[in-house]
Amino acid sequence: MTFISKDRPQTGNSATPSSNRHSATDTGLIFMFAGQGSQYFQMGRELYDHDDIFRHHMDRCDRLLSFDLRDVLYNDAHKGGAFDAVEWTHPALFCLGYSLAQVLIEQGYRPSGVLGHSLGEYIAATIAGMFSLEEGLELVVRQAQILKQTCAEGSMITVMESPEFYRKRPDIFFRASLGGINYDGSFFVSGLADDLQRVLAALNSASVFSVQLPVRYGFHSSAIDPAESEFRNICRSVRLSRPQIPFYSCALAGDVSRHVWDSSDEYLWRIPRGEAQFKTMVENSFPNPERYTFIDLSATATLSGFLKYGFGDRYTHHFAINQFGRNLDSMATLLSQITP
């Protein structure tokens, strides 16, 4: 793959955790990475300003891009604006999740496994060693470019109802796909922008609480099918390595399986196109919750929220940052909670 860079030298390929004071099998830590819809301008700003490890890895990622990611994210002129341009949000989410993971890894907190939801699967795959930082970041950059070139604009809506509500009310969800099930009381739908606006209006009329996500494309629906052929062609050039730690996939509703090695393009396309099955994946993969501590390394603690509201106190979970700022405090709290 030819990377889109600023003609700056590339850094090393290894994105897997280095050996520190924990082994990969004794921590019980599961690093979680969410995808589109969790982004916002200024995410991680306080860490970038004050945490040397986070800043180093954000800068490392930035050198691989054709634009100045830090200026996009941390330009004060962007505060309060809608952060939904996919050519920015795809790499921004990837770089943020990767850099947050490195903050923990370089302080000795190696994950026993990684968990990815939607775009977050590409971050998880990188941390697990399935491909390099350069390859993972290029993949999301190229996906964003292809989406912008080939797909009509779409939308995604989180609905705070049982997934059965989707099946029982085809009048509301006409031409909207079930994009994923977060937990028993939450799912999301996806599709073309005009269709989703009608869905949102119908949900409001029915007094059903819903949230339109800050995305411009209908991930996990046929709205992105025009991107399939070109993106899969790119994916065929990606050589996947076997993960060096367990890797749990919402696209596959469980552990990454053997068939992935024989059909990398099928799996890598399924991540944005297939149903994101967080609820089923958790139930299939973690039947003994007491063995694990889940660390949400996304921008808004989205997946930690899914565990909290979907599974009660069964799973121990923490987050690194959220949309309310005070990143240094939240990171310090996290480290105090998982210190051996």
Side-chain angles (χ1 to χ4, degrees), residues 36 117-119 156 177-180 188-191 217-224 251 270-276:
Q36 280 287 345
H117 183 279
S118 194
L119 180 74
M156 296 165 63
S177 298
L178 178 63
F188 70 90
V189 294
S190 182
Y217 295 93
F219 299 100
H220 309 288
S221 80
S222 60
I224 66 167
R270 188 170 178 176
I271 289 172
R273 176 61 179 89
E275 186 177 315

Side-chain angles (χ1 to χ4, degrees), residues 10-16 60 64 98 126 129 131-135:
Q10 290 190 7
T11 51
N13 287 340
S14 176
T16 54
R60 177 186 179 191
L64 298 171
Y98 176 85
T126 302
F131 38 61
S132 70
L133 167 64
E134 289 80 4
E135 291 168 327

